């Protein structure tokens, strides 16, 4: 099968032409496999799609048009009302996000105590120091004042989680720049819970080149050069 090891980007499928050569063509949205309710996604056109297959197939068919360029995965789940993010809320957002990233690494570390696999040995050694110091501030909802105080007092514990998340997202390609599609796995899953995440990432892009460099990412989270 010529298509067996032939890779197509999202929204396209492999098709063998008359000469027997594989090529990528747009996925027909109507031919996408049926999905469950929880697999629905909301596009940036504020339209609910039955899954990412249907969304990216539609985007592919609009390729070359303004609508196609602007259509992206907005967030997981059916489209709903997302409240406006105020200036005050976007200022507080990095505090919660830093704490959340740190707690994810704590959970990975605890799971690795039983069965390894979530973190590499190098990552484990870095997280171990954070983990041992983290019993003062247990995971959960914390007052903004407490998060700010902890960040100022234990700044070193927040640096690695912020770097770690950047490199988790920086995959296609690994170039120390985050594109919209690389940010999507994190952003799209958080929008319904953290309505400021879209504005936060927009403002992170200081030079407005639609790419977030590591320096811009760290600056947004209050990490010094």
């Amino acid at each position: 099968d010529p298509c067996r090891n032939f890779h197509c980007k999202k929204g396209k499928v492999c098709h063998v032409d008359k000469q027997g050569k594989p090529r990528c063509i747009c996925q027909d949205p109507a031919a996408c496999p049926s999905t469950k309710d929880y697999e629905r996604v909301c596009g940036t056109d504020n339209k609910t799609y039955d899954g990412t297959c249907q969304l990216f197939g539609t985007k592919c068919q609009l390729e070359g048009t303004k609508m196609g360029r602007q259509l992206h995965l907005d967030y997981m789940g059916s489209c709903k009302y997302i409240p406006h993010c105020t200036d005050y809320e976007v200022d507080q957002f990095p505090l919660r996000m830093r704490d959340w990233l740190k707690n994810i690494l704590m959970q990975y570390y605890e799971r690795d105590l039983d069965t390894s696999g979530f973190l590499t040995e190098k990552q484990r050694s870095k997280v171990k120091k954070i983990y041992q110091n983290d019993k003062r501030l247990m995971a959960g909802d914390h007052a903004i004042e407490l998060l700010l105080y902890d960040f100022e007092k234990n700044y070193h514990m927040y640096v690695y989680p912020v770097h770690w998340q950047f490199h988790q997202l920086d995959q296609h390609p690994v170039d120390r720049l985050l594109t919209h599609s690389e940010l999507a796995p994190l952003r799209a899953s958080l929008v319904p819970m953290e309505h400021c995440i879209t504005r936060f990432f927009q403002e992170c892009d200081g030079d407005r080149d639609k790419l977030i460099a590591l320096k811009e990412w760290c600056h947004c989270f209050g990490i010094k050069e």
Side-chain angles (χ1 to χ4, degrees), residues 206-217:
D207 57 9
R208 297 288 184 266
D209 65 349
K210 299 191 185 306
L211 298 168
I212 297 179
L214 178 60
K215 189 174 180 179
E216 290 175 318
W217 174 272

Side-chain angles (χ1 to χ4, degrees), residues 94-111:
L95 300 174
R96 296 194 305 277
M97 191 75 176
R98 280 191 307 248
D99 191 50
W100 182 70
L101 293 176
K102 179 165 66 71
N103 286 327
I104 287 177
L105 282 175
M106 298 300 97
Q107 290 174 28
Y108 280 172
Y109 182 83
E110 286 183 334
R111 289 185 206 174

Side-chain angles (χ1 to χ4, degrees), residues 54-209:
Q54 194 180 89
L55 169 66
F56 288 112
T58 302
K59 177 177 174 63
C60 182
Q61 291 189 333
L62 294 169
E63 204 167 333
T65 67
K66 183 180 178 182
M67 196 177 293
R69 287 191 296 274
Q70 293 177 342
L71 179 59
H72 297 286
L73 169 63
D74 198 4
Y75 53 88
M76 310 307 287
S78 300
C79 294
K80 61 189 77 173
Y81 171 70
I82 303 293
H84 171 71
C85 176
T86 65
D87 291 347
Y88 174 78
E89 287 173 322
V90 82
D91 286 344
Q92 308 307 316
F93 180 80
L95 300 174
R96 296 194 305 277
M97 191 75 176
R98 280 191 307 248
D99 191 50
W100 182 70
L101 293 176
K102 179 165 66 71
N103 286 327
I104 287 177
L105 282 175
M106 298 300 97
Q107 290 174 28
Y108 280 172
Y109 182 83
E110 286 183 334
R111 289 185 206 174
D112 276 4
L113 294 176
D114 300 322
T115 55
S116 62
F118 286 100
L119 302 172
T120 65
E121 279 305 309
K122 187 176 179 182
Q123 288 173 332
R124 280 179 58 75
S125 66
K126 285 179 177 285
V127 178
K128 183 178 181 180
K129 296 170 189 173
I130 302 172
Y131 183 82
Q132 290 171 341
N133 285 319
D134 195 58
K135 296 307 172 187
R136 308 151 292 96
L137 196 75
M138 298 303 290
D141 289 331
H142 301 300
I144 290 297
E145 292 75 22
L146 177 59
L147 293 180
L148 186 58
Y149 171 77
D150 194 63
F151 177 63
E152 291 171 351
K153 187 181 178 195
N154 300 288
Y155 169 81
H156 64 283
M157 291 176 56
Y158 291 88
V159 177
Y160 182 67
V162 171
H163 282 190
W164 169 81
Q165 181 64 81
F166 182 92
H167 293 294
Q168 289 291 108
L169 296 170
D170 182 24
Q171 297 293 332
H172 306 291
V174 180
D175 57 1
R176 294 167 74 89
L177 295 168
L178 296 184
T179 63
H180 189 284
S181 59
E182 285 176 319
L183 279 170
L186 175 66
R187 201 190 68 79
S189 58
L190 286 180
V191 169
M193 296 174 285
E194 286 283 4
H195 65 282
C196 280
I197 194 166
T198 298
R199 181 177 166 187
F200 174 72
F201 285 143
Q202 286 171 345
E203 295 185 6
C204 273
D205 182 15
D207 57 9
R208 297 288 184 266
D209 65 349

